[in-house]
Amino acid sequence: MREIAVSLITDKVAQLCRDANFELPSAVREALEEAKGVEESPQGRRILGEICENAAIAREERIPLCQDTGMVSVFVEIGQDVHVSGGSLSEAINAGVARGYKDGYLRKSIVSDPLFRVNSGDNTPAVIHYDIVPGDGLRLTVMPKGFGSENCTALGMLKPADGRDGVKKFVVGAVDKAGPNPCPPVIVGVGIGGNAEKALLLAKKALLRDPQTPAVNAEDARLERELLEAVNKLGYGPGGLGGRVTALAVHVETYPTHIAGLPVAVCLNCHSTRHKTWEWRGEDDE
Amino acid sequence: MMSREPAERIEAPFAGGVAARLVTGQRLLLNGVLYGARDEAHLRFTDALDRGEEPPVDLRGQVIYYVGPTSPRPGRPCGAAGPTTSGRMDKYTPRMLEYGVSAVIGKGRRSPEVAEAIQKQGAVYLAATGGAGALLGRCIKEMHAVAYPELGPEAVYRITVEDFPVTVAIDGRGDDIYRIGPARYRMECE
Ligand code: SF4
C-alpha cells in the first residue's frame, strides 16, 4: 500500500492543464512539420506554416495554443494498492483544473447547466474517467479539448451486416460532414465495438496515441491506413480551404461487442491536439 | 483564387466600396477596429433588434470577429484569440447583415441563407486560421469589453488589430472558398 496526498494531485493537475494548453505534444508537432512536405495546396502549406508558428509562440510565451482551452477530460489509472489521503480524489482533480485555468489565464468555457448556461467561473467540472489497475502506481492524463472538434463527434449503431465497409463509410462520412469545422488537419479517433458508451470512450482515448504510432493489432493498423487514405481524398486540407492533408492520422481501437450490433464512434481532434501525462513514481517525486 | 498574391493591407472598418471589390481566396491584413462577438452576444443583440430596442453598441458598418478570447496575462493586451466555428452564428448572421454589419470573420462553412445574405447586402465573410490563437492574439493591440461584460469570453469586445491575417471566404458574388477549395482536391472514393 502506498499513500498519496490529494494536495499533490491538485498541484499536478493544475500544472498538466497549463502545460497541455501551452505545449503541443512533440509527436503532433512533428506530424505537422511532415505534412508541410506532403501538402500540395499553397494555401494549405501556408496554413500549416501558421499552425507550426502558432505552436512555437504558444510554447515560448506561455500563451494558449488556442483560445478554446476546452473542457477537460482526465484519465486516471490508479493502482488498487494506492491510498489517497486527505480528501476526495475527484474534488482534488477539479481543484487542480480550477487552479490551472486561473493561474494559466486559460479560458473558462464551462457552463454549470447545459440549459440555463451560467459560466461556472473556473472551467470545472472536468469529466473524469477512472481505471483501477493492479499495483501501486498512479497515472494522470489531462486532455483539454475544444468544442469545434467535439461537436463533430459521431456515433453509429451499425448492423453486423454493415461490416468493415459499413464502418469505413461511416468514418469517412463523419469526417466529410465535419469538413472545415474541427480545424483540420485532424486526428481521427475511431472506436469499434463494445456498446455505445464504450465505443465513444475508445474513440476519445484513441486520440491520445501519437500520430506516428499504428494500432498494435495488424488488422486494425491496416484499417487505419485505408481510412487515412480515404479521408485524405476528401480534399478539405489544412483549415478546410482545400488540400491533401485533411487528417494527420486515423487511430482505430476495437473491443468485443454483442451478436446483434456493430457500434462505431468517431471522435475528431483538431490540429491543436492537447494532452499531458504525469506518472507518480513514489514519495521522492513530491 | 489568388492565394499566391501577397496579402493586401486594408483598414477596418472598411471604407465605402471595399467589401464589394474583395475576391474569394484573396489574402488580407486587417488594420484598425474589429468587434468580437459570439453565440450569446448574437442572441442578445438580435433580440434587442427584434424588439426594436437600441443595441448596446453601434455595429453598423463594422467588422464582427467570432471570437471568445482567453483573458490576457497582466500587462498584455490579449491572450489567445483565434476564430470560433462560424456555423453557430448562421441563425443570426442574415439579421446582423441586414442591420448593417459589413463583414464577419470566423472559420468554417456557412449556410446557404448566409451566403445569400452576404450577396444581397454586399457584405463579405472572411476566414481566419482556426487554432492559431496565439499567433492571431499577437496581432491584437488592444481589447476591451464594450457590451455584456458579464458574459466573460462571450462579451462584445472592441479589438484593435495590426496586420491581422484573413482570407476572403465568401465574396459579394457568393463564391465560397469552403466549396471551391476542397472541390479542387477532392478525389472520388471507390
Ligand atoms: S477545433 Fe481545436 S483548434 Fe479549432 S478552435 Fe476549436 S479547439 Fe481551437
Side-chain angles (χ1 to χ4, degrees):
Chain A
M1 178 79 77
R2 281 206 301 168
E3 192 163 305
I4 183 164
V6 285
S7 57
L8 176 62
I9 291 171
T10 297
D11 289 350
K12 290 300 172 188
V13 169
Q15 192 187 333
L16 291 172
C17 287
R18 290 190 300 263
D19 290 350
N21 273 295
F22 302 143
E23 300 167 11
L24 199 63
S26 54
V28 178
R29 280 205 322 268
E30 281 158 26
L32 286 163
E33 287 292 343
E34 208 176 298
K36 282 192 214 165
V38 177
E39 184 52 65
E40 290 169 23
S41 143
Q43 285 268 36
R45 280 201 301 271
R46 177 180 60 78
I47 287 172
L48 288 170
E50 284 182 12
I51 291 169
C52 293
E53 196 189 337
N54 185 70
I57 295 170
R59 168 183 281 271
E60 276 159 34
E61 301 189 13
R62 308 277 292 169
I63 297 175
L65 286 150
C66 180
Q67 75 290 337
D68 188 350
T69 52
M71 187 170 200
V72 179
S73 291
V74 182
F75 298 96
V76 183
E77 273 175 43
I78 185 161
Q80 60 198 37
D81 297 329
V82 172
H83 176 233
V84 179
S85 65
S88 141
L89 176 53
S90 295
E91 277 170 24
I93 289 171
N94 278 316
V97 171
R99 193 196 297 165
Y101 273 67
K102 182 168 172 286
D103 294 353
Y105 295 90
L106 306 175
R107 200 179 77 186
K108 286 74 178 176
S109 312
I110 303 305
V111 290
S112 295
D113 184 286
L115 297 178
F116 294 100
R117 309 200 72 83
V118 176
N119 199 298
S120 72
D122 59 7
N123 217 56
T124 67
V127 177
I128 308 172
H129 303 278
Y130 291 102
D131 261 328
I132 312 228
V133 297
D136 60 0
L138 175 73
R139 201 178 138 90
L140 289 173
T141 297
V142 161
M143 180 193 204
K145 188 164 183 294
F147 260 52
S149 64
E150 188 71 1
N151 282 340
C152 300
T153 304
L155 174 69
M157 299 305 283
L158 307 188
K159 296 181 188 70
D162 293 328
R164 200 170 179 274
D165 281 349
V167 167
K168 281 175 74 175
K169 220 170 137 191
F170 184 81
V171 174
V172 176
V175 180
D176 197 12
K177 189 166 169 227
N181 292 355
C183 290
V186 292
I187 294 177
V188 184
V190 182
I192 309 172
N195 52 13
E197 86 267 15
K198 180 67 182 180
L200 281 165
L201 199 53
L202 287 172
K204 181 61 84 62
K205 280 192 179 171
L207 299 173
L208 296 170
R209 206 200 302 156
D210 287 347
Q212 294 81 357
T213 309
V216 180
N217 176 308
E219 270 309 314
D220 294 350
R222 189 163 71 92
L223 183 57
E224 288 177 346
R225 286 194 301 274
E226 290 174 23
L227 282 170
L228 182 63
E229 200 189 317
V231 159
N232 282 338
K233 282 182 178 172
L234 292 171
Y236 290 107
L241 302 187
R244 295 280 172 240
V245 189
T246 300
L248 297 173
V250 178
H251 293 162
V252 171
E253 300 288 337
T254 58
Y255 195 81
T257 191
H258 190 276
I259 49 173
L262 176 51
V264 47
V266 182
C267 278
L268 301 181
N269 214 349
C270 45
H271 60 74
S272 205
T273 287
R274 291 155 284 181
H275 50 84
K276 208 91 196 177
T277 299
W278 172 68
E279 233 175 308
W280 183 46
R281 295 185 205 287
E283 309 294 335
D284 43 339
D285 197 54
E286 295 181 39
Chain B
M1 287 183 282
M2 315 187 342
S3 59
R4 279 161 223 261
E5 302 282 316
E8 181 188 340
R9 280 213 169 77
I10 283 196
E11 289 292 323
F14 298 160
V18 167
R21 71 168 170 78
L22 298 178
V23 180
T24 292
Q26 196 180 343
R27 288 172 50 213
L28 310 174
L29 295 171
L30 303 182
N31 286 272
V33 173
L34 314 175
Y35 282 88
R38 45 179 290 151
D39 309 54
E40 188 67 21
H42 275 77
L43 174 69
R44 294 196 187 188
F45 203 94
T46 50
D47 267 358
L49 291 176
D50 290 345
R51 283 197 302 265
E53 288 165 13
E54 192 64 34
V57 46
D58 189 350
L59 295 180
R60 284 169 296 187
Q62 298 294 338
V63 179
I64 290 185
Y65 179 25
Y66 302 141
V67 65
T70 62
S71 36
R73 287 179 191 277
R76 292 209 191 172
C78 185
T84 192
T85 306
S86 308
R88 291 197 319 274
M89 265 54 76
D90 281 356
K91 191 176 158 193
Y92 312 109
T93 302
R95 185 75 183 92
M96 296 299 282
L97 298 180
E98 187 195 334
Y99 157 77
V101 168
S102 67
V104 293
I105 309 172
K107 67 166 174 103
R109 282 191 287 236
R110 307 309 305 260
S111 68
E113 291 76 20
V114 171
E116 206 175 287
I118 285 170
Q119 269 182 283
K120 187 167 155 206
Q121 308 294 344
V124 62
Y125 170 44
L126 307 169
T129 298
L135 181 88
L136 293 169
R138 282 224 295 208
C139 306
I140 292 178
K141 299 303 159 186
E142 239 185 278
M143 179 181 85
H144 57 268
V146 289
Y148 318 130
E150 68 280 11
L151 294 180
E154 293 215 64
V156 176
Y157 287 90
R158 187 177 192 277
I159 301 171
T160 308
V161 292
E162 250 175 56
D163 285 349
F164 186 89
V166 294
T167 302
V168 179
I170 303 181
D171 63 14
R173 288 191 307 270
D175 284 343
D176 183 350
I177 199 169
Y178 288 108
R179 290 179 208 288
I180 300 168
R184 194 182 277 186
Y185 291 93
R186 199 173 177 103
M187 296 188 278
E188 279 321 304
C189 300
E190 65 286 357

